[in-house]
Amino acid sequence: MKQLLFCFFLLTCIRSSAQEALDYAKIKDAQELNLSNLDIDTLPSYISACTRLKRINLSGNRKIKVLDTFKKLAKLPQLEVLQMDYCNLFFLPAAIG
């Protein structure tokens, strides 16, 4: 339940274009984030410090900058599931292969 409330807080902040207002201390231990259909073009820079993330859903963010996103996600050692349906993703970067 704590993670669900935390994800709701994160989504609310992003929707209001207040990414800088996100409190890293509250999300650093999150294991799952649903950032789908938010029309975001980039992830917050500190997302790569959320080393416990196992699942992230970015589906429906058609404007997301793929290479920038993968650079940040590559720093997540426990990431197991990445959903990017309907993100205008035409290829995977070679590093993901």
Side-chain angles (χ1 to χ4, degrees), residues 24-62:
Y24 166 70
K26 292 182 180 177
I27 68 163
K28 67 180 175 134
D29 294 328
Q31 293 184 12
E32 185 170 337
L33 290 177
N34 183 354
L35 304 176
S36 62
N37 300 305
L38 295 177
D39 202 32
I40 57 175
D41 61 359
T42 188
L43 296 175
S45 60
Y46 59 79
I47 197 82
S48 57
C50 298
T51 56
R52 295 187 183 189
L53 274 177
K54 291 184 179 184
R55 297 172 180 254
I56 188 165
N57 184 350
L58 299 172
S59 298
N61 292 300
R62 296 176 188 262

Side-chain angles (χ1 to χ4, degrees), residues 1-94:
M1 181 67 165
K2 182 179 176 182
Q3 287 180 343
L4 185 60
L5 290 174
F6 173 67
C7 289
F8 179 76
F9 169 76
L10 179 63
L11 293 174
T12 302
C13 290
I14 290 175
R15 281 192 182 119
S16 65
S17 301
Q19 290 182 357
E20 284 72 33
L22 293 174
D23 185 358
Y24 166 70
K26 292 182 180 177
I27 68 163
K28 67 180 175 134
D29 294 328
Q31 293 184 12
E32 185 170 337
L33 290 177
N34 183 354
L35 304 176
S36 62
N37 300 305
L38 295 177
D39 202 32
I40 57 175
D41 61 359
T42 188
L43 296 175
S45 60
Y46 59 79
I47 197 82
S48 57
C50 298
T51 56
R52 295 187 183 189
L53 274 177
K54 291 184 179 184
R55 297 172 180 254
I56 188 165
N57 184 350
L58 299 172
S59 298
N61 292 300
R62 296 176 188 262
K63 297 178 184 177
I64 201 151
K65 297 172 185 165
V66 175
L67 293 178
D68 179 57
T69 298
F70 280 114
K71 285 180 186 176
K72 291 175 183 173
L73 296 177
K75 298 177 183 176
L76 300 174
Q78 295 188 29
L79 189 65
E80 297 172 355
V81 177
L82 171 62
Q83 291 178 261
M84 291 189 72
D85 303 323
Y86 306 105
C87 285
N88 291 331
L89 179 65
F90 299 107
F91 65 92
L92 290 176

